[in-house]
Amino acid sequence: MPCPIPLHQLRVYSFLALLSLVWLPQAHAQSQLKRTSASPFGLMETTISDIHKAFRNGSLTSEQLVKAYLERIQTYDQPTKLNSIIIVNPEALATARALDTEFRKTGKLRPLHGIPVIVKDNFNTKGLQTTGGSIALKGFLPTEDAWQVQKLRDAGAIVLAKSNMAEWAFTPMHSQSSMAGETLNPYNLAYVPAGSSGGTAAAVAANLGAVGLGSDTGNSIRGPSSHNALVGFRTSLGLVSRYGIIPLYTRNDVGGPMCRTVEDAVRLLEVTAGYDPNDPITKNSRGKVPKNYTQFLRKDGLKGARIGVMRQLVDKNIHPEIKQLFDTALADMTRAGAQIVDVTIPNFDSLRANQWCSEFKVDVETYLRTFVKRDTLKTLDDIIRVGGYSDIVRDRLVNQNTHSGRATHPEIPCGDAFTDPLRVAYRNAIEAEMNRLKVDALVYPSWNYPPALIGDAKGYKGDNSQLIAPSTGQPAFTVPMGYTTGDLPAGIQFLGRIFDEPTLIRLTYGYEQETHHRVPPKRFIALGK
């Protein structure tokens, strides 16, 4: 088994990566599908479509692209203390060369051919260390990929690196782990990137990879995406398999894309959605997955739409700068042809109460038994014995070892989004009001406050992502909404009916194309223009 590449050894790629991005040798250019001319490739903010266009016109190879991203990781991740990456895949370059060879022979590109992906470290990656951010799993090499990782590889994607995360995905506040310490926000290093997928968010935002994968139990795709000016998709529970993802609460967990554009996120969703017998909840997606999702990428996607404003999340406990950005977003949607409708969900507070169930102990021990298979690491007690990064992690582990089920009315069973009576009632109430008012989606700020300062636990407030979708199972997408003081990003969230991803894609793409809020973090743009 090859050894992972320590980040400090990546300097070997520096000269070659820079050279390859400045010009392509003439002989090589002529070999690329008999193209005779090539222009320099711009790495910053590049998309899957940009990369594939460059592959086809001979201005870029997958090997060059991987080298360039490795160079950026080496140059920026540790030197700036961004700290977004736990480990780099030592097979990434070999995989890229093999994909280049395939393209030369066939002239065809797979859907994600040669695309380097940043993968959160709770997704199993075959032969590449997977730890969930915990030293308890240090050295664990899965023998198979997580479902989503395998689907991405089948589509031609390259696992570039595993990203840092909140240890065991325990907190939405920040991304600290005993494997790699604390990840910072690339837009302002004094602030958090949120959690738990903060490593993926920071790396993709800083252009250390093309696209990313995160997981979301309550917030952890959408919160970090919002804090890092990314698009983050929490899809309907049951649309995409969670097999091979280290669980927090399986009944709520979702894995999905974290990308710089809606289109790129859609392209990842397109190859991962569908039934997986290893994750029974995905049976609910049968008959609900369209032939493709890219057909819903419409620039005029807001024209004629009815957008419901979730007033219970907007009209109180909101930072004035976030409120101003949100009001501007509503005006932007109106200008793009949407009609804005105020929405108040009857009995909202009582419906959302008592939805969460503590099931980490059962879920993580099932994961250890199924995948890790170490005699010394079978139970949550074993994890506690090894220890963790911080008091937060230790206290959470101990608490999860002694508490399970609901905080109140523990006699009510904890089921999935399709069988749990409290969850079904909550979703029915939300969708009934959407239907009554004939709105296509509900919108609200992903966070009602800007990112918190590093180390400021009191600064964590306004997290709206926790409140609806994790319990109801509905899809919720966040898109960049603008920036507050200190260059701190903010996001707007679109909540849809369950399995109505097509509508959310149409609306979020329309909003993105109308506003184009995303810009890269300033301190990370020098290399790779």
Side-chain angles (χ1 to χ4, degrees):
M1 189 66 61
C3 296
I5 301 175
L7 296 183
H8 70 272
Q9 292 183 4
L10 290 175
R11 293 187 180 89
V12 69
Y13 301 128
S14 302
F15 178 73
L16 289 175
L18 287 172
L19 188 64
S20 65
L21 286 174
V22 174
W23 72 82
L24 192 68
Q26 185 65 32
H28 187 65
Q30 291 174 349
S31 72
Q32 295 293 305
L33 300 181
K34 299 184 179 180
R35 304 281 186 177
T36 58
S37 63
S39 57
F41 180 75
L43 185 67
M44 293 299 296
E45 299 293 287
T46 192
T47 65
I48 295 169
S49 293
D50 294 335
I51 291 166
H52 281 181
K53 181 180 179 180
F55 287 169
R56 289 188 177 99
N57 69 27
S59 62
L60 183 70
T61 67
S62 182
E63 181 180 0
Q64 291 171 330
L65 183 64
V66 168
K67 284 181 178 179
Y69 279 128
L70 291 174
E71 165 69 6
R72 284 190 61 82
I73 291 171
Q74 172 62 25
T75 300
Y76 286 119
D77 194 56
Q78 292 301 313
T80 65
K81 295 183 170 59
L82 182 66
N83 214 31
S84 65
I85 301 299
I86 289 181
I87 200 168
V88 167
N89 181 10
E91 296 297 314
L93 278 170
T95 303
R97 293 185 191 106
L99 288 164
D100 287 337
T101 299
E102 176 185 316
F103 180 46
R104 283 194 297 271
K105 290 180 177 179
T106 67
K108 296 179 181 179
L109 295 174
R110 295 189 240 170
L112 299 177
H113 199 102
I115 302 300
V117 184
I118 303 291
V119 178
K120 186 177 180 179
D121 198 37
N122 61 348
F123 284 77
N124 283 1
T125 44
K126 183 178 180 180
L128 183 63
Q129 179 179 268
T130 300
T131 71
S134 174
I135 57 172
L137 287 177
K138 185 175 182 179
F140 168 52
L141 303 177
T143 57
E144 61 179 322
D145 283 325
W147 166 273
Q148 292 189 48
V149 173
Q150 184 60 57
K151 289 296 182 180
L152 294 184
R153 289 198 208 257
D154 290 345
I158 301 168
V159 174
L160 181 70
K162 302 296 289 293
S163 59
N164 197 26
M165 57 180 286
E167 190 159 345
W168 299 113
F170 273 167
T171 176
M173 294 184 287
H174 47 64
S175 292
Q176 297 175 340
S177 78
S178 55
M179 287 299 299
E182 183 159 16
T183 300
L184 309 182
N185 190 313
Y187 286 88
N188 190 324
L189 297 174
Y191 291 81
V192 298
S196 62
S197 308
T200 295
V204 175
N207 286 264
L208 306 188
V211 293
L213 273 185
S215 65
D216 188 313
T217 306
N219 156 89
S220 297
I221 286 174
R222 294 159 294 148
S225 293
S226 174
H227 276 21
N228 290 272
L230 296 180
V231 173
F233 283 9
R234 179 187 169 97
T235 53
S236 299
L237 269 168
L239 183 64
V240 181
S241 173
R242 292 85 49 84
Y243 181 74
I245 301 176
I246 300 174
L248 178 50
Y249 302 142
T250 299
R251 67 192 293 272
N252 292 79
D253 291 344
V254 168
M258 302 172 68
C259 301
R260 293 185 289 268
T261 68
V262 172
E263 180 178 339
D264 280 358
V266 168
R267 291 185 182 279
L268 267 63
L269 171 61
E270 195 161 80
V271 302
T272 55
Y275 175 65
D276 172 17
N278 289 310
D279 188 0
I281 199 173
T282 58
K283 68 184 180 183
N284 295 285
S285 71
R286 286 172 166 167
K288 299 180 179 71
V289 181
K291 184 177 180 180
N292 67 73
Y293 284 104
T294 52
Q295 64 182 301
F296 305 108
L297 294 167
R298 289 174 39 192
K299 288 187 177 182
D300 65 347
L302 286 168
K303 188 175 182 179
R306 285 174 61 85
I307 304 296
V309 178
M310 186 73 178
R311 284 297 170 192
Q312 284 140 309
L313 303 184
V314 175
D315 288 345
K316 59 182 180 179
N317 299 322
I318 186 169
H319 190 280
E321 290 189 48
I322 300 293
K323 181 65 162 61
Q324 183 178 9
L325 290 176
F326 184 73
D327 289 343
T328 299
L330 298 181
D332 290 336
M333 285 188 268
T334 301
R335 187 177 63 249
Q339 182 178 356
I340 304 301
V341 181
D342 286 340
V343 177
T344 301
I345 304 298
N347 305 311
F348 179 64
D349 288 338
S350 60
L351 283 165
R352 68 186 181 91
N354 203 29
Q355 290 283 351
W356 291 88
C357 290
S358 298
E359 295 190 326
F360 177 73
K361 177 180 172 66
V362 171
D363 289 343
V364 78
E365 288 181 355
T366 298
Y367 176 87
L368 295 175
R369 182 170 60 252
T370 304
F371 297 106
V372 180
K373 302 176 182 177
R374 286 182 186 170
D375 290 339
T376 57
L377 197 68
K378 293 182 176 181
T379 67
L380 185 50
D381 283 319
D382 293 331
I383 293 173
I384 293 169
R385 172 178 46 79
V386 175
Y389 177 83
S390 65
D391 291 344
I392 293 175
V393 173
R394 184 181 63 253
D395 292 347
R396 187 72 177 271
L397 289 169
V398 171
N399 179 269
Q400 292 290 324
N401 204 28
T402 56
H403 293 79
S404 63
R406 299 183 194 274
T408 58
H409 294 291
E411 72 277 6
I412 302 175
C414 295
D416 64 34
F418 303 95
T419 60
D420 187 309
L422 298 188
R423 301 178 77 174
V424 172
Y426 191 10
R427 179 173 66 254
N428 287 346
I430 296 284
E431 294 192 354
E433 192 64 10
M434 293 175 69
N435 293 340
R436 187 183 75 83
L437 295 172
K438 297 181 173 60
V439 297
D440 297 295
L442 300 178
V443 296
Y444 44 87
S446 295
W447 288 70
N448 277 359
Y449 279 77
L453 283 163
I454 295 289
D456 179 15
K458 294 181 179 179
Y460 168 74
K461 51 187 175 181
D463 178 2
N464 289 325
S465 295
Q466 307 272 355
L467 302 180
I468 304 175
S471 299
T472 65
Q474 294 166 264
F477 297 176
T478 188
V479 186
M481 183 173 69
Y483 303 83
T484 60
T485 299
D487 296 326
L488 296 171
I492 183 171
Q493 196 159 149
F494 291 71
L495 179 85
R497 294 170 178 83
I498 197 162
F499 294 116
D500 194 15
E501 276 75 8
T503 295
L504 287 193
I505 289 167
R506 173 171 58 85
L507 298 177
T508 55
Y509 186 69
Y511 175 74
E512 175 196 56
Q513 295 302 301
E514 177 69 23
T515 57
H516 293 287
H517 282 304
R518 177 172 165 81
V519 293
K522 294 175 184 176
R523 71 176 64 227
F524 292 89
I525 63 175
L527 176 66
K529 291 182 180 179

